[in-house]
Amino acid sequence: GAATAAEYYLIRSEEHLTESPKEMDNWVAAIELADSLGVDIASTSLGYAMFDTEEFTLSYADIDGQSTRCSHAAQIASRKGMLLVVAAGNEGNKDWHYISAPADADSILPVGAVDIFRNIADFSSFGPSADGRVKPEVCAVGKQTALIDPNNEWVINSNGTSFACPLL
């Protein structure tokens, strides 16, 4: 990676079989754990807007940096001095094309995706947040990003703001 002398904690909060609001609670617990471990920078490659049960799905009005528990927790962590770098999301070319929570939180750094020529990736989610703040604030290469394939250790290319986020 780009920060070869850094020390890392890997904290997983996702439950890969379902998408439910419980995952936001898991993320809050993960950020609380990171804070207790003295983490200075947290890179998050996830976001919440759509859930398996329609009644829990967020509306655009909820993407205001205040309405979700994970966005509120992100603001608290930021105020305590942690830099949160959050993937903007890969919904830019879908019906829901906006950023999601916690990328909508104030005082964090949401990251969009561009190609090597600095052209915005069509899949990169965009703002503004529901309360009018510019989101994402920055972009990094997330389209055709060079990666190591974990199955055979070959260099491959893939797409996602989840690649742009840790690169930044």
Side-chain angles (χ1 to χ4, degrees), residues 26-113:
N26 294 348
W27 188 86
V28 170
I31 289 300
E32 288 175 343
L33 175 60
D35 178 52
S36 74
L37 294 169
V39 168
D40 296 313
I41 302 171
S43 177
T44 296
S45 291
L46 52 71
Y48 304 106
M50 307 295 185
F51 297 108
D52 293 341
T53 303
E54 184 67 30
E55 69 184 273
F56 296 128
T57 293
L58 303 178
S59 69
Y60 178 62
D62 295 322
I63 305 301
D64 62 359
Q66 302 291 322
S67 295
T68 65
R69 47 193 165 260
C70 61
S71 297
H72 186 69
Q75 289 177 351
I76 292 170
S78 174
R79 289 184 185 122
K80 293 180 80 173
M82 188 184 300
L83 173 60
L84 285 114
V85 183
V86 179
N90 302 324
E91 310 299 321
N93 54 4
K94 298 178 183 170
D95 287 342
W96 174 277
H97 50 268
Y98 299 107
I99 57 168
S100 53
D104 64 331
D106 187 31
S107 304
I108 65 152
L109 193 58
V111 182

